[in-house]
Amino acid sequence: MLFYQLRLPIVEESLENIQPQQIEELFEVFFRKFDSLPTACLLIDDWQFTRTRLGYRDWRFEHFISFIQSRYSFNNNKVIITSQLKFNPPSGVYPIILPPLDHEAIRSIINWIVRSTRVDASPVLIPTELIKRLHGNPLAATIVSQLLERFSVDSILENTQVQERFQNRLIPLLLEQIELNEDERELLSYLSIYNIPFEFKVIEQFSEEKSVELVEALTDYFLIDFDIETGLYEMHPLVREHFQKSIPSETKISYHTLAADYYAEKTKLPNASPAEKGEHVSQVASSLQFEKVQALRSVYLDELRPVALGLFKDRHVKEALKYYEVLDNLYPDDVDIKFHIGLCYAHQEFWADAESFIAKALNLNGDAWWVLAGYGDILAKKRCLGPAEKYLNNALELMDRIKAPQWRYSAVFQSLALVYNKDWHKAEEYYFKAIQSDETSAFAYYAYAKFLFREGDPQYALEQLNIAEKLDGSFRVRNPLKEKILAQLKGNRIDQSQEGVQEEFEFYDEAYEDDEQVK
């Protein structure tokens, strides 16, 4: 192709069995013509595809790089090679590693994309808090620009479901060209639990003799960054949460215990920083060492809130309740804390306590429709249908009064469909309303597909499930249900009354629907 661009004759078949001396002569011919041009730039993109872990896929690529290094040019023509992975070029070839874009550049990207898709061309106000979360990544800025077409800035910053949509679109694109081995994945999973930069000692204690090799590979992939000024490593923030979510609960606790022990020693040193003390509290809390947390609660106590929420989402409601109660003692006027204490009691079916804390949350904020909706959702799942219907309808009335966004209604209608699960026509009516309220919600189509499958219509259920998949290609709950639908369509009878099937579906439902309803 290079020869064709310069209109040089070449017989492609002859390249198959070409020898090193012959290819050197070809390079001489090409660059003699290239250097004769008054102004020229040769740009070779995606050089990472020429390499494997062991070196170049083809010796001719290596010879090309060596030839570039050895040649002399007497004009300003340039050869630029780009790669998404680091590689060590020979001397004379000067590598440039592009740093993250600054805040103004990221803001400009978002502004340009959003304004180009709107009739109103006025500037978009993007808060610094949102810009910081993108960590200078232009791809992340592009995806946020797309989300801003239907979500407010506040929703992107605060709503868990919207944040997950962002992660689910971005991370597969960042990792699609990287092949990680088992040791690299295990180390990334472990490092993902750290919230602040860490020393090489953290890696060495975990990976032992493999540490240097693994660090070199992961820094080449730009998944771990090394700060030469501080001497600390940090996992790329945009992929840290992705790996953290993949860790099994028991393994995650053991990882947090290792980290807690490490920071227990670090914080004994006289020069321990506030950030290290805060990380110690966070790691102790995440390792479920509750008594130690109480002893340390005077240090960065706000570290407890995200830990408590993580435990709640993982369905460790008893442990989550302990942390929320500590927070409640310190922040008695916090609606979110009261709300989650109520949900923790509801999951354990301590209804009097649950009602008490839900009422306290509503007393603190009478417009908190999500408190009514979230509690009503749990009541529906626990088959307390009368109270569930009351809370969910009250939530709808409040949403109408305060003019909540239309897409927010979708999750409430899904919960009401659960209330009328035995009334086929009524349930389907609410699933229709859920989809109409948010036609881009993969969760609404998934819930409707599950309902149809249970009602004995696997073909239509599959159609709805396929729509959910198109809306969100990384929709992680689709496979278990899809396998059962396909099995039934192939003629394998499935007893839908089996408890195992229903419990599995319930688990997946709850993992998503709470995120839609809990603000």
Side-chain angles (χ1 to χ4, degrees):
M1 181 181 290
L2 296 177
F3 273 66
Y4 291 147
Q5 290 292 325
L6 295 179
R7 298 180 180 178
L8 294 169
I10 186 72
V11 180
E12 291 188 31
E13 291 76 11
S14 66
L15 297 177
E16 292 298 326
N17 301 312
I18 197 168
Q19 299 301 310
Q21 183 177 352
Q22 294 171 306
I23 204 167
E24 295 274 339
E25 294 172 356
L26 275 178
F27 291 156
E28 285 282 0
V29 172
F30 172 79
F31 279 105
R32 192 179 305 123
K33 178 70 172 177
F34 179 75
D35 289 337
S36 71
L37 300 173
T39 304
C41 177
L42 171 60
L43 175 62
I44 303 176
D45 202 8
D46 289 327
W47 188 255
Q48 69 272 8
F49 292 123
T50 68
R51 299 177 58 84
T52 68
R53 291 175 182 273
L54 301 177
Y56 282 95
R57 298 179 185 275
D58 190 308
W59 63 269
R60 287 169 289 193
F61 291 122
E62 187 172 9
H63 270 60
F64 180 76
I65 283 286
S66 298
F67 187 88
I68 292 176
Q69 179 267 334
S70 64
R71 63 184 285 272
Y72 293 94
S73 176
F74 298 99
N75 57 23
N76 290 322
N77 293 351
K78 295 288 188 292
V79 178
I80 300 175
I81 297 174
T82 70
S83 173
Q84 294 187 27
L85 304 180
K86 293 179 185 176
F87 69 96
N88 295 319
S91 61
V93 178
Y94 304 103
I96 300 174
I97 298 177
L98 298 179
L101 299 180
D102 61 29
H103 288 180
E104 285 309 308
I106 291 294
R107 184 176 277 107
S108 297
I109 290 173
I110 296 174
N111 229 317
W112 184 84
I113 295 175
V114 173
R115 292 175 69 182
S116 67
T117 59
R118 291 181 178 177
V119 176
D120 178 12
S122 58
V124 183
L125 298 177
I126 309 295
T128 302
E129 183 182 359
L130 178 58
I131 299 297
K132 286 181 178 179
R133 293 193 184 186
L134 305 183
H135 302 282
N137 188 298
L139 178 59
T142 302
I143 292 175
V144 161
S145 302
Q146 295 167 354
L147 290 175
L148 283 170
E149 292 178 14
R150 70 175 303 270
F151 296 109
S152 67
V153 171
D154 289 342
S155 294
I156 295 175
L157 287 172
E158 299 172 8
N159 185 270
T160 307
Q161 181 196 1
V162 178
Q163 291 170 14
E164 286 197 355
R165 290 187 184 186
F166 170 72
Q167 287 281 335
N168 289 340
R169 290 185 190 180
L170 175 65
I171 300 306
L173 294 173
L174 291 179
L175 299 180
E176 66 179 353
Q177 296 179 4
I178 299 177
E179 296 180 6
L180 298 170
N181 62 35
E182 185 176 346
D183 289 334
E184 290 165 349
R185 286 188 174 277
E186 185 178 22
L187 179 58
L188 286 171
S189 295
Y190 173 62
L191 297 180
S192 70
I193 68 166
Y194 286 84
N195 303 301
I196 63 173
F198 45 82
E199 299 173 320
F200 178 75
K201 185 178 180 181
V202 167
I203 301 171
E204 192 174 34
Q205 287 179 343
F206 186 80
S207 298
E208 300 177 342
E209 71 275 1
K210 299 178 183 178
S211 299
V212 174
E213 177 186 347
L214 291 174
V215 167
E216 287 181 354
L218 295 176
T219 51
D220 284 352
Y221 295 144
F222 297 101
L223 295 177
I224 293 179
D225 295 324
F226 176 70
D227 189 326
I228 194 170
E229 294 184 0
T230 63
L232 300 177
Y233 291 86
E234 184 176 16
M235 191 169 177
H236 198 292
L238 291 174
V239 297
R240 182 171 59 209
E241 186 177 349
H242 169 77
F243 281 94
Q244 192 177 91
K245 286 180 178 179
S246 67
I247 309 173
S249 294
E250 291 185 6
T251 304
K252 186 183 291 187
I253 291 171
S254 69
Y255 285 172
H256 284 299
T257 302
L258 284 174
D261 292 343
Y262 169 76
Y263 280 106
E265 295 301 315
K266 286 282 293 180
T267 52
K268 291 178 183 178
L269 300 175
N271 61 344
S273 68
E276 288 171 335
K277 293 177 181 179
E279 183 71 353
H280 184 206
V281 174
S282 176
Q283 297 295 346
V284 171
S286 297
S287 63
L288 307 187
Q289 302 178 68
F290 185 69
E291 292 181 0
K292 287 187 179 180
V293 172
Q294 287 205 319
L296 293 168
R297 65 181 181 177
S298 62
V299 183
Y300 279 70
L301 192 58
D302 262 357
E303 290 286 338
L304 292 177
R305 187 190 292 269
V307 173
L309 182 59
L311 289 168
F312 176 80
K313 288 185 176 181
D314 289 340
R315 297 298 179 262
H316 301 304
V317 292
K318 291 182 180 179
E319 299 298 335
L321 180 59
K322 293 178 182 178
Y323 289 94
Y324 276 120
E325 286 176 338
V326 171
L327 287 167
D328 191 46
N329 288 332
L330 292 159
Y331 304 101
D333 296 325
D334 191 299
V335 176
D336 180 72
I337 292 171
K338 293 282 195 298
F339 172 44
H340 277 92
I341 290 176
L343 296 186
C344 287
Y345 280 127
H347 274 291
Q348 299 175 75
E349 300 187 5
F350 298 149
W351 298 114
D353 292 322
E355 293 275 352
S356 173
F357 276 92
I358 293 300
K360 290 177 181 178
L362 292 169
N363 286 336
L364 290 170
N365 183 357
D367 292 336
W369 61 266
W370 61 90
V371 172
L372 294 166
Y375 186 52
D377 181 66
I378 291 182
L379 287 167
K381 290 189 170 82
K382 296 288 185 181
R383 310 311 296 162
C384 300
L385 303 182
E389 183 181 16
K390 181 191 77 172
Y391 276 94
L392 292 167
N393 282 323
N394 287 346
L396 290 176
E397 291 177 6
L398 182 53
M399 293 169 79
D400 288 339
R401 182 169 64 80
I402 66 172
K403 298 181 180 179
Q406 185 64 32
W407 68 273
R408 284 289 199 176
Y409 285 72
S410 179
V412 185
F413 288 137
Q414 290 175 55
S415 298
L416 278 166
L418 289 178
V419 171
Y420 293 100
N421 209 29
K422 302 298 182 182
D423 183 342
W424 195 94
H425 294 289
K426 194 76 171 176
E428 187 170 48
E429 177 185 342
Y430 279 113
Y431 283 122
F432 284 159
K433 288 184 177 181
I435 291 170
Q436 289 169 356
S437 298
D438 187 1
E439 294 181 349
T440 65
S441 172
F443 309 133
Y445 284 100
Y446 169 77
Y448 186 35
K450 186 184 72 172
F451 167 76
L452 291 167
F453 176 67
R454 286 178 172 171
E455 293 297 323
D457 192 348
Q459 184 62 54
Y460 195 38
L462 183 60
E463 292 177 17
Q464 301 305 306
L465 203 56
N466 287 335
I467 295 174
E469 186 173 347
K470 288 179 181 178
L471 288 169
D472 189 347
S474 59
F475 194 51
R476 64 178 180 267
V477 304
R478 68 184 185 278
N479 289 332
L481 177 58
K482 195 167 191 175
E483 290 170 4
K484 291 174 175 61
I485 292 173
L486 292 174
Q488 190 174 85
L489 289 173
K490 289 177 182 177
N492 300 325
R493 181 176 175 78
I494 296 177
D495 183 359
Q496 297 178 44
S497 66
Q498 292 178 2
E499 291 184 1
V501 174
Q502 293 192 2
E503 287 175 358
E504 181 180 348
F505 288 166
E506 282 300 304
F507 170 80
Y508 282 106
D509 267 3
E510 292 181 356
Y512 282 92
E513 290 177 4
D514 282 351
D515 286 349
E516 287 202 342
Q517 293 175 341
V518 177
K519 182 173 180 179

